[in-house]
Amino acid sequence: MNNYFNIHKLFTTKKNLLFLLSFILAGLIFFSYFFYTKNGVLTVDLGQQYVDFLAFLRHNLFSHPLRLIYSFSNGLGGSMLATDAYYLFSPFNLLLFLFPQNFLAQAILVIIGLKIAAGGLTSYYYWQQKTAKPFYALAASSAYALSGYVIANHFNLMWLDSVILLPLLINEIDHILMQKKNHLVLITFLLWFTNFYTAFMALAFGFLYLLTKIFFFNRKKQWTIFKSYLAKSILGSFLDAFMLLPVFVEMLQGKAASSANWSWGFQFIPYNQIAKLADGAYNFHEMQEGMPNIFIPLPFLLLTFFYFLSKKINWKPKLANGLLLLFLIASLFWTPLVLLWHLGQFPVWYPGRFSFVLIFLALNLAITALNQQENVKLWQIAPLALIALGLILFVTFNDQSFDFLNETAQIATGAFLALGLLFVAFIYNKNNYASTFFYLIIELELVINLVLSLGNLAYQKNYDYQNFAKNTTQVTNYEAKHDKGLYRTEKSFYRSDDDPFSANYYGLSNFNSISNQHVLSLLNNLGFLNNSNSYTNFGGTPITDDLFGIKYYILPNEEITSLKNKQQMKYDNKNQRIDVGDYHLQKRFNQLILMKNSSALPLLFLSPTTTRKVKFDPTNITKNQTQLLQAATGRNINLFHHVIWPDPKKINVSNWDGGWMQYSKKKKNQEARLIFNLRPQTNSSYYLELPGDIDDNAIDMYVNGSYINLTVRDSNTRLINLGSRQRGQRIQIEITLKKDNLDLNAANLWRLDTPKLVQEMRSFKQNQPQFTQQSALVLKSNHFSTNKKMTMKSTIPNSFNWLVLDNGKILRKNKILFADAFLNFNLNQGNHQITLIYIPWIFIIGLIISLISVLIFIKINKI
């Protein structure tokens, strides 16, 4: 009974109740939207990337934890440490294990909602110390937790931990400024640990915040405070060395290896940023190439300006905070500062990823102004009225320039600006219920902004992901049970580029902000669809299937019995690879078919030739694939043969004067088509090579009536499979012009001699060693012998972490990489058993540094 009363007292005490409300309300508002709209939460990168990483975490954290160090599901194979640090280390992700695998999408929604709720709690904890009116702090905490940044980036859930921790960081810096006991070491550690990228932004802001506070202190006190701050920040960072060191190394090899073009210009016209202060200022365009989302409730916006008009606030903090505010605002659009905040790289989608710190500062200034409890004068209200009038006029007269500024958004913006002015002029400090009134209008505007903003987005259906994961995992589990070897699997369709993580197989496709640039460059040269941080299996041929060890292919089962819509897999992204149907049928499943490619090489194979640097031409895919085949086998094989274009049937199309394969519309307002009829004279596989500038914006293309997806990412030249084993049959290529002119001069038809390829690969595969994966970090071959010096080449991306042993003795790896990307080493004549061990050296060094830092931290706290 006493326990009951203690618990009842805990939740009914006014102070504790407000803490509870700060946690519940923001999360409840967010959850309610998805409850009433019945939307799933999966959209854009969350649906195309993060859900796959989270599925991988759930598959492996407790059953195969070493896979979180290295995995062949990560593209062709790669370290997972930086990926873990960026996407997966949030403690909130442990909640995934409370949900069945089939409810992964719903679990993610819960995690996002709880992170938003936690942001409300930590910010309330900070601001309730700054004001005598708790409802002001409660309003600010909701405004922070449901700010434009959070609403626009809720699906980038790995960034939300820094939003949660920022108020705690500033709180600890305040304690340092007051020379009180603080937990800056712990908060710094948690920031780096949960997401190093946004941690940099939060910690950079924390440093700038500190400077604004100590600038006016005397020099002795400045140095004392700064030393304490610096020592604890460094110690907190060193505690994370086990993670930060691998991240630093992998970033240098990946995304940071590409340079950005610095300039002194602007990312967009600066005054256009004003539009983002309106309610509902968000949609897909803004997400992709728009402006940073800096919305806070408009009464708070007016109070931020009011801070600088307050008579009770000294000019010194006004000057310091004003300079900091201007610096952060300039960082939204001035190129040097944009690059500074984003670690030297322009953000690809999701602009202004640091803007949560600007929002926090603005709200902090507003709370400081509210806490003054001063009598507002007309001369203070007049500038606020002008600001409100200017904003509503800008929104009204620029509604055609920004498609999110619809009539509802304009009305809401005007209404809440008016309510904000009403509060400052007539209610603030003049009514006992002022804080309650203020809190209610803030909550109302947050709801309206959320509905308007998220209403502009489209979400995937949860059952689409569930059906994909269930059916593909069924196939890959069958593979793993019946084939214990080391091989890769691919599909003729995809749900996302990170399907291997969700379906638990070793594939080729990958979408990761931390990508191996050597692998990316190679796949681009071989014609695979790719951009700066992703690549897919689209563009491959039987040659690349064999060389990359793609032993199994998963195809749609076109003969499935009728299923309910919610049970059917979606094959929206199909790859035009007709020739994979020539592989051996292994097993037919309910919605999928498993094919076996008997010509696929092992991931490591013996080659009679030494490794030499290969010069690839990104405009000549067939030559590049031929060079790769020759470099692997040591045989002078040329399997691609040029095919002459047949004369087309032209509908509303004419040839260019003196041109070849160059066409123009006759009547520009009518449909124009070209129809090429090709009759193969062999059972080989036929391909169309298209340059990157001929995409779905230039033409529509059909092959034998089937629509071909011509979407490109970085204007890649690619090969499109037209047919296979269709000797004497017609292959019809129908092209519809979308523009007035079409230049097919650089487009080529090729015949790939697949029967000869099969013959050559079967011969080459004889007596090749077989490798198995002993654990996530150990590969071992069977016993084999060589009668002369050979090169063991591989399609395993090179890393200095791979240790190669031959009969227990360490071998030196070749400095020249196979195909400029892959691990290889020499073997002398004799008997061999090869063992490869992946040793994460940098992680181990970082772990030692972290352990030493822990000992230092314990010793300091005992003193």
Side-chain angles (χ1 to χ4, degrees), residues 192-217:
W192 284 126
F193 182 77
T194 52
N195 186 270
F196 66 89
Y197 182 62
T198 50
F200 164 76
M201 300 167 185
L203 291 167
F205 172 74
F207 175 71
L208 295 173
Y209 175 85
L210 178 80
L211 293 183
T212 65
K213 297 296 183 182
I214 68 172
F215 184 75
F216 298 104
F217 288 8

Side-chain angles (χ1 to χ4, degrees), residues 80 150 193 262 268 296 345 406 436 467 543 627 764 834:
M80 289 295 297
V150 172
F193 182 77
W262 286 74
F268 51 85
I296 59 173
Q345 297 290 315
N406 55 43
T436 307
N467 290 335
I543 290 177
Q627 284 183 294
F764 183 67
I834 303 299

